[in-house]
Amino acid sequence: MERASYLDKLNDNQRAAVTFGTGEPPGPLLVIAGAGSGKTSTLAHRVAHLVVNGADPRRILLMTFSRRAASELTRRVERITAAALGTGIAAEALLWAGTFHGIGARILRDNAAAIGLDPDFSIHDREDSADLMNLCRHGLGLSQTASRFPAKSTCLAIYSRKINSEAPLGDVLRDHFPWCAQWETELKRLFGAYVEAKQAQNVLDYDDLLLAWAQVMADPGFAAHVGGAWDHVLIDEYQDTNRLQARILMALKPDGRGLTVVGDDAQSIYAFRAATVRNILDFPGSFAPPADVITLDRNYRSTQPILAAANAVIGAARERFTKDLWTERASAERPQLVTYATEADQARHVVDRVLEDRETGTTLKEQAVLFRTSSHSAQLEAELTRRNVPYVKFGGLKFLDSAHVKDLLAMLRLGRNPRDRVAGFRVLQLIPGVGPKAAGHVLDALDLAPDPRAALRDVAPPPRSGSDWPAFVAAMTTDAPWPAALDKARDWYDPHLARLHEDSEARRGDLDQLAQIAGGYASAEKFLTDLTLDPPDATSDQAGVPLKDEDYLILSTIHSAKGQEWRSVHVLNCVDGCLPSDLGTGTTDEVEEERRLLYVAMTRAKDRLSLGVPQRFYVTHQSRNGDRHIYSLRTRFIPAGILDRFEVTHWSPARVGEVPRPAPAPIDIAAQMRDMWA
DNA sequence: ATGCACGCGGTTTTT
DNA sequence: CCGCGTGCAT
């Protein structure tokens, strides 16, 4: 076959990765792809190349870290194949592109009957899971222990880590939750109850999507059935997978044939979710003969000075398994390291710089401000709002977390799966006069009924529910097709929204948005699954999400910035305590992960990079005598020895024209007010 | 039984 | 500040 023209645009290593594999199907391949090395493009080309050479796209499994990454990849594959073949493959041909969790949900749903699951199972998001954990916690009387028992979210985090790391509970507690170690016995009991509750309620949490999948794969018959559905399995961001995911992968393709994994150990930033770089390091040796390894170390994204600074930061890492990145993009401009007296100064200057860059032709969308923790952007957001700069924030709170959205989604979930007690408690208590007790009775009755959905019509109304009940039942049991069913729920919910929230107008807008999204789905089930596994991740202040064609600045946690790039990048709060976060400096491993976070942040920049170092912070509510400020130091990841990679400056606001004004004589307002009644 | 007022305490990052 | 548990009035 004549050499396809798309191969000409690739460098030698990229081409080797794209065309790798002589066998049918080819042996296992590991691609170590440095930041900005054209990883996504290489992966897309490899998939396209397989298809161009006759692979059936419906028999390719493509697993990525987010659904956004999956659709980007799919789009590119379509473009490349379209150019190469004349006719592109249909958009639907790549049937199996998604996240580990999304694919897991699909496999479990498809095989539900055979593995003893009700196919109508609901999927709980993190908060729902924590709520269920809380119900169990109360049930076992753990909420009123003499010394305080760990909070529901902590319990869930411990449980989740145990599942995903496949480590004994004792080890998990010792290594990651030492302040909870005294509760090991109680936690074990709690987790047992939690698992039973999930099963009784026909509910799966995030971890179950992987755990149940792994358990399916442990059965040889099922493993062959599931694994046999694909000729090629490609995994992106392999450095951020955990033990459980690796186990699933190895069971899918035990001999490694058809398997490609891509990743970069220098960008591993999800250890808190039990991801382990061991997966990527041990991958080659898991097979006999070992997997081939191809390294992409040429960076196409950043200028040389940016790369030099990033390399210096990661160069000090305790362990390094890969390469220094190199580039041919010369520039005289070093990254900036700017100190400020306060965070407010930092916010002001960053906005100044952003606007300057926009004046000189860099749109807001081509610029980003990154930070370690969602709350670090608070002052910046205030400044942006004050100066009317539109922005969209990724990471942190999502609009799905707001009470009114959760209420409506819970109604839909309860309609599909009346055994879901978390949804049930939430929804039933919306009815005035119905509290935990009455809600519990209704749910118990539904639980015992042979057909819970029908039972909702017949169940005795709660004593004080009044005239609301028939309308509620009607809304819940409607036969309206999707998405009209959502409108029925909204109609019932609307008066309660107005009753419960002062700002019901703004919240109604969110629900409009939700209805819009719902319209794009064929069924409530698909809608709920997708929304839970891949929630719309941007929030943007009170103003609502800007229109798609509008220009807006990107604000993002470093975690949510993974895989992305911008011409200009500002990193906030590069000080000890923020980056590394003072919460995660317990162990050397945790500190090393924080170092990689800074590395990831810096390598997002194409042309311009600046790191902010505010020296004074206001810390609120840390001492009971009110707010205080603390002084902070430049991050330990930029020691004096590598300062020469940066242009170091200090910025303070101009004080021009500022004349101190004398204060007027004091007045006694309180006395005046008293005198009004004298 | 529900719902509200009060007081205490508090590990980010996400599928 | 916010969520959570407790205690009291309806």
Side-chain angles (χ1 to χ4, degrees):
Chain A
M1 173 172 177
E2 199 180 324
R3 173 162 151 165
S5 66
Y6 57 78
L7 293 176
D8 295 336
K9 298 184 203 117
L10 305 169
N11 70 33
D12 290 348
N13 289 356
Q14 289 174 333
R15 195 178 311 112
V18 167
T19 59
F20 171 85
T22 45
E24 183 62 43
L29 171 66
L30 166 63
V31 181
I32 299 284
S37 63
K39 181 192 66 170
T40 306
S41 165
T42 303
L43 196 51
H45 277 89
R46 176 157 177 78
V47 174
H49 189 70
L50 288 169
V51 171
V52 167
N53 286 279
D56 181 349
R58 291 165 305 179
R59 295 181 50 80
I60 294 177
L61 172 61
L62 205 50
M63 284 202 280
T64 56
F65 194 74
S66 64
R67 233 196 22 223
R68 183 165 44 154
S71 44
E72 163 75 11
L73 211 45
T74 309
R75 228 193 58 231
R76 288 213 201 186
V77 172
E78 281 159 14
R79 233 181 26 220
I80 301 163
T81 51
L85 297 173
T87 68
I89 59 169
E92 299 77 32
L94 274 173
L95 286 175
W96 294 97
T99 63
F100 257 98
H101 291 85
I103 302 286
R106 227 172 115 183
I107 289 171
L108 295 175
R109 198 90 76 181
D110 288 353
N111 296 283
I115 54 182
L117 276 175
D118 180 338
D120 276 340
F121 63 78
S122 352
I123 300 173
H124 273 184
D125 69 12
R126 207 182 159 62
E127 259 190 276
D128 299 326
S129 303
D131 287 347
L132 183 56
M133 189 69 86
N134 206 30
L135 290 177
C136 301
R137 191 163 161 268
H138 278 97
L140 295 178
L142 293 171
S143 38
Q144 39 213 349
T145 47
S147 67
R148 213 170 152 115
F149 192 75
K152 60 178 181 181
S153 55
T154 310
C155 295
L156 183 69
I158 297 169
Y159 170 81
S160 184
R161 182 142 202 151
K162 192 252 174 296
I163 298 297
N164 285 293
S165 66
E166 307 198 295
L169 180 58
D171 292 4
V172 171
L173 291 173
R174 170 172 38 84
D175 295 340
H176 304 286
F177 302 88
W179 68 95
C180 301
Q182 52 163 322
W183 297 109
E184 181 169 352
T185 319
E186 291 82 356
L187 285 168
K188 245 187 193 130
R189 259 172 60 219
L190 175 63
F191 296 160
Y194 175 64
V195 169
E196 276 181 33
K198 283 189 292 183
Q199 292 177 353
Q201 297 172 33
N202 194 24
V203 152
L204 300 188
D205 63 19
Y206 284 143
D207 302 327
D208 287 330
L209 299 176
L210 301 182
L211 184 61
W213 185 6
Q215 281 165 348
V216 165
M217 298 306 290
D219 177 277
F222 260 109
H225 171 69
V226 175
W230 303 294
D231 300 321
H232 300 276
V233 175
L234 302 96
I235 319 287
D236 196 8
E237 308 282 10
Y238 196 57
Q239 77 282 355
D240 286 325
T241 56
N242 58 42
R243 288 282 306 269
L244 192 51
Q245 288 166 314
R247 193 148 68 84
I248 291 170
L249 191 63
M250 294 304 164
L252 277 176
K253 295 288 167 197
D255 60 1
R257 298 222 145 260
L259 197 53
T260 301
V261 304
V262 183
D264 177 9
D265 57 270
Q267 293 183 72
S268 151
I269 54 175
Y270 278 86
F272 73 91
R273 221 168 72 185
T276 167
V277 283
R278 292 251 62 94
N279 281 354
I280 205 167
L281 301 173
D282 296 345
F283 183 83
S286 308
F287 307 97
D292 283 72
V293 181
I294 296 175
T295 302
L296 310 179
D297 59 1
R298 174 166 176 190
N299 175 297
Y300 291 91
R301 178 184 296 154
S302 310
T303 63
Q304 195 280 326
I306 290 175
L307 224 42
N311 280 336
V313 166
I314 201 69
R318 198 170 42 111
E319 276 186 292
R320 293 185 62 227
F321 306 97
T322 48
K323 66 281 147 197
D324 265 1
L325 297 177
W326 61 277
T327 181
E328 289 180 351
R329 290 198 60 206
S331 165
E333 198 183 330
R334 279 176 298 171
Q336 306 223 351
L337 187 81
V338 189
T339 59
Y340 305 95
T342 65
E343 266 192 288
D345 284 355
Q346 174 183 247
R348 251 174 288 177
H349 187 223
V350 166
V351 178
D352 287 349
R353 294 279 308 274
V354 164
L355 293 176
E356 275 167 31
D357 275 358
R358 184 175 62 174
E359 289 311 305
T360 55
T362 307
T363 61
L364 295 177
K365 276 185 177 175
E366 293 173 296
Q367 308 183 45
V369 183
L370 307 182
F371 33 87
R372 169 67 176 88
T373 298
S374 189
S375 61
H376 288 165
S377 68
Q379 303 219 25
L380 179 76
E381 289 182 65
E383 182 72 10
L384 288 167
T385 305
R386 198 173 68 74
R387 289 164 74 172
N388 264 324
V389 181
Y391 67 89
V392 172
K393 183 173 172 182
F394 292 85
L397 264 198
K398 313 195 156 133
F399 101 115
L400 261 70
D401 295 335
S402 47
H404 51 295
V405 174
K406 298 208 67 152
D407 287 344
L408 200 57
L409 292 179
M411 285 186 73
L412 297 177
R413 268 195 0 230
L414 187 66
R416 292 199 61 74
N417 175 19
R419 277 149 65 194
D420 185 337
R421 289 182 88 90
V422 170
F425 269 113
R426 174 164 206 116
V427 171
L428 290 166
Q429 290 183 81
L430 289 170
I431 302 168
V434 177
K437 221 40 177 222
H441 285 133
V442 173
L443 293 171
D444 288 344
L446 293 184
D447 222 5
L448 297 173
D451 177 359
R453 224 172 295 180
L456 191 57
R457 288 202 190 101
D458 306 331
V459 77
R464 260 169 301 239
S465 60
S467 57
D468 256 318
W469 186 256
F472 170 73
V473 173
M476 292 300 299
T477 56
T478 174
D479 292 321
W482 184 257
L486 177 71
D487 296 327
K488 294 268 184 247
R490 272 191 82 176
D491 290 344
W492 179 81
Y493 180 62
D494 199 60
H496 298 288
L497 179 73
R499 178 174 57 84
L500 294 168
H501 303 286
E502 287 283 308
D503 54 341
S504 59
E505 231 7 88
R507 291 170 189 258
R508 201 164 286 132
D510 287 346
L511 299 185
D512 286 337
Q513 219 181 317
L514 197 67
Q516 195 131 40
I517 300 173
Y521 284 92
S523 69
E525 173 206 278
K526 278 246 15 136
F527 171 67
L528 288 171
T529 302
D530 270 17
L531 217 58
T532 309
L533 295 184
D534 188 37
D537 43 8
T539 53
S540 87
D541 198 29
Q542 322 82 342
V545 180
L547 300 169
K548 281 201 183 70
D549 50 342
E550 236 177 285
D551 194 23
Y552 48 81
L553 179 67
I554 308 291
L555 271 53
S556 176
T557 59
I558 299 173
H559 283 94
S560 293
K562 176 156 133 165
Q564 311 215 67
E565 60 179 24
W566 295 274
R567 279 179 68 180
S568 169
V569 169
H570 302 267
V571 187
L572 300 183
N573 296 1
C574 297
V575 300
D576 261 45
C578 291
L579 189 55
S581 160
D582 49 8
L583 302 169
T585 48
T587 65
T588 324
D589 282 348
E590 285 170 332
V591 176
E592 288 305 308
E593 174 138 324
E594 300 280 320
R595 183 196 310 279
R596 294 190 294 269
L597 268 170
L598 179 58
Y599 176 75
V600 167
M602 293 173 71
T603 52
R604 301 306 97 196
K606 295 200 242 180
D607 299 340
R608 280 182 307 282
L609 170 66
S610 88
L611 312 187
V613 182
Q615 292 163 319
R616 191 145 45 85
F617 279 82
Y618 280 100
V619 213
T620 50
H621 313 287
Q622 292 239 322
S623 69
R624 57 209 84 61
N625 351 326
D627 301 353
R628 286 183 319 147
H629 60 246
I630 55 163
Y631 293 91
S632 51
L633 298 170
R634 169 165 34 92
T635 173
R636 69 186 74 174
F637 303 134
I638 305 182
I642 66 168
L643 269 184
D644 60 343
R645 300 329 197 272
F646 298 85
E647 184 188 329
V648 183
T649 55
H650 180 86
W651 185 89
S652 58
R655 298 278 180 206
V656 275
E658 208 172 273
V659 184
R661 300 195 304 152
I667 52 171
D668 188 349
I669 298 183
Q672 288 179 18
M673 287 164 148
R674 282 193 306 271
D675 290 347
M676 289 171 67
W677 308 99

